[in-house]
Amino acid sequence: MNHERSHALFTRAQALIPGGVNSPVRAFKSVGGEPFFAQRAEGAYLFDVDGNRYVDYVGSWGPMIAGHAHPEVLAAVEGAMRNGLSFGVPNALEVEMAEAITRIVPSCEMVRMVNSGTEATLSAIRVARGATGRSRIVKFEGCYHGHGDSFLVKAGSGVMTLGLPNSPGVPDALADLTMTIPYNDFDAATRLFDEIGDEIAGLIIEPIVGNANCILPREGYLQHLRALCTKHGAVLIFDEVMTGFRVALGGAQQRYEVTPDLSTFGKIIGGGMPVGAYGGRRELMAQVAPSGPIYQAGTLSGNPVAMAAGLATLELIQAPGFHDALERRTHQLCDGLEAAAREAGVAFHTTRAPGMFGLYFREGPVETFEDAKASDAGKFGQFFHAMLERGVYLAPSAFEAGFMSAAHGDAEIAHTILAARSAFAEVAQ
Ligand code: PLP
């Protein structure tokens, strides 16, 4: 595969942009080599500036659930764009978006639009702190909630890839307020709440961890956290930036039947445009400015073009059977990969939720962050490059979930499994 143009662009980028990228995982640090530069994308495929085509299992890290450049999303964007790019006064599409989110996710009685998942989680913990008058936040090892100071404590994916437990620049005084416990450990959560439950403003969790590969909650775990938060008066926040509208129309909270107090969203609700949102119980959200004293604002929040892209995407995913098909496709892919690995004699395991999956170079089961970390990252890197060479783009980190879209059909999955057969054979050597 020729990567001449990508290489030239990466050389220029590295001189001017830290690491040559505008978000760390894109730099391929954990798998080695250099990133390719995208020219365009369509359906399940990415095309790079050198004319190479890849079946894309990253989907812009989640938003492209309907497939890239979906004609209905593009038409909605074009239509909105002709009316102007930003108004700075309210517009009807913001109301439609609030109506759509609150209808699809019943725990969200009110919602506020922001511009990224990071803004959504930052705002949600401010509400939790403002509403409870408490300071401490609980999060989980390996969970990533964006790059806000309070979250860069034992965070997953990008931070983990770089081997940083915490980021320099996060004051100890603030990091000390973030308590981190192991995901899927019932007793650790109980113990922490027994000790300092009356100091905890909120607990934030990725209900399915997508930033430490892909780890599913143990039976009853999310319910256990719900009960602890209720008992101790803490705000339960589901970070559904990744899982929202993906693992079920109503997200992980619908799939596992647990009602959080606040939820955060991003990715899919922007359809590929920069969007985030947070919402929840009316009594909490009504405390956000200007109806209440907890301040949060944004020049471009509720941007009409972004709302149009998000609304068109939400429309597409409400088609009957959409998530069932996504789930079937995810199993088809993961079953095929596991069979290919078995054939090659490679220790390999997958975890799955509809539209999202984890790949592990180890035997299963994988239920904890420690289990996930025990995956052979070296073998993953080898596999990643072998697949890339064969026109399949996986997340360039052993600690990131993969994503399916509605555009991934039989042909794309067959191509992927065929590529995996010879890629696993390379890894086995
Ligand atoms: N929360 C989760 C679960 C995420 O996966 C991410 C990003 O991947 C974020 C928050 C941050 O979102 P953004 O990158 O839009 O700021």
Side-chain angles (χ1 to χ4, degrees):
M1 231 177 224
N2 176 22
H3 292 295
E4 216 172 291
R5 289 190 172 152
S6 278
H7 176 70
L9 281 167
F10 195 47
T11 306
R12 280 166 60 196
Q14 280 175 300
L16 300 172
I17 306 172
V21 291
N22 282 312
S23 194
V25 182
R26 294 182 200 168
F28 280 26
K29 281 248 185 218
S30 81
V31 290
E34 290 188 350
F36 62 86
F37 280 62
Q39 177 75 40
R40 66 184 191 90
E42 192 179 333
Y45 294 96
L46 269 179
F47 299 83
D48 74 13
V49 288
D50 291 290
N52 303 305
R53 187 181 84 156
Y54 309 90
V55 182
D56 177 22
Y57 288 101
V58 181
S60 191
W61 302 97
M64 311 318 300
I65 193 166
H68 288 287
H70 192 289
E72 285 176 35
V73 178
L74 295 188
V77 167
E78 266 171 31
M81 195 176 80
R82 290 188 198 291
N83 292 328
L85 296 181
S86 182
F87 307 131
V89 297
N91 70 86
L93 295 172
E94 296 170 84
V95 186
E96 283 178 37
M97 179 58 88
E99 286 168 349
I101 294 176
T102 53
R103 184 169 42 75
I104 295 171
V105 187
S107 74
C108 289
E109 295 170 333
M110 295 185 95
V111 64
R112 166 62 63 81
M113 301 309 297
V114 291
N115 303 289
S116 68
T118 295
E119 273 186 62
T121 55
L122 283 173
S123 307
I125 59 163
R126 183 171 302 147
V127 171
R129 284 172 163 154
T132 58
R134 302 172 180 177
S135 301
R136 290 194 192 274
I137 296 293
V138 179
K139 75 176 281 291
F140 294 81
E141 285 174 19
C143 280
Y144 177 70
H145 304 290
H147 60 86
D149 285 350
S150 294
F151 303 123
L152 289 183
V153 182
K154 296 190 179 173
S157 67
V159 193
M160 213 158 82
T161 299
L162 299 175
L164 306 171
N166 295 325
S167 169
V170 176
D172 288 345
L174 198 55
D176 287 349
L177 296 176
T178 301
M179 321 305 293
T180 308
I181 54 175
Y183 178 84
N184 262 344
D185 183 334
F186 286 67
D187 291 343
T190 309
R191 276 198 307 274
L192 183 68
F193 273 88
D194 280 349
E195 267 170 42
I196 55 156
D198 60 352
E199 295 173 32
I200 297 172
L203 176 149
I204 185 164
I205 187 165
E206 287 182 76
I208 295 172
V209 189
N211 284 285
N213 216 326
C214 181
I215 313 174
L216 305 178
R218 283 184 172 138
E219 177 86 38
Y221 186 61
L222 299 173
Q223 285 80 355
H224 178 64
L225 299 178
R226 172 67 278 178
L228 284 174
C229 286
T230 302
K231 179 175 168 198
H232 294 275
V235 176
L236 176 65
I237 307 166
F238 272 11
D239 180 354
E240 297 233 42
V241 167
M242 209 180 256
T243 53
F245 310 95
R246 173 173 291 277
V247 299
L249 179 61
Q253 53 194 276
Q254 178 186 325
R255 189 166 171 82
Y256 296 105
E257 298 180 348
V258 179
T259 306
D261 300 304
L262 292 177
S263 302
T264 54
F265 304 106
K267 302 189 192 273
I268 287 174
I269 48 165
M273 300 292 289
V275 172
Y278 65 103
R281 286 200 282 120
R282 180 173 298 277
E283 165 259 322
L284 290 172
M285 291 302 292
Q287 297 185 47
V288 175
S291 62
I294 301 172
Y295 196 71
Q296 183 274 311
T299 300
L300 295 174
S301 296
N303 174 269
V305 184
M307 296 302 97
L311 282 166
T313 304
L314 289 183
E315 198 58 44
L316 290 167
I317 67 170
Q318 289 178 73
F322 182 94
H323 291 85
D324 291 341
L326 203 59
E327 181 165 28
R328 268 198 313 281
R329 294 296 192 193
T330 311
H331 284 304
Q332 189 182 341
L333 173 77
C334 290
D335 287 344
L337 291 176
E338 286 189 353
R342 262 196 311 276
E343 251 172 58
V346 174
F348 180 77
H349 177 69
T350 63
T351 51
R352 311 116 187 237
M356 144 176 204
F357 58 87
L359 308 179
Y360 298 92
F361 281 81
R362 53 158 291 166
E363 300 294 347
V366 172
E367 295 182 351
T368 66
F369 183 45
E370 293 305 314
D371 293 342
K373 279 197 298 189
S375 176
D376 189 328
K379 282 192 176 145
F380 174 80
Q382 234 186 316
F383 182 72
F384 168 85
H385 281 292
M387 292 296 275
L388 197 65
E389 264 306 298
R390 291 162 176 82
V392 179
Y393 178 52
L394 300 168
S397 163
F399 304 113
E400 293 279 358
F403 295 114
M404 303 284 286
S405 80
H408 290 75
D410 285 335
E412 288 74 24
I413 294 173
H415 173 95
T416 306
I417 293 167
L418 193 66
R421 284 212 180 103
S422 53
F424 279 124
E426 263 185 36
V427 171
Q429 276 171 12

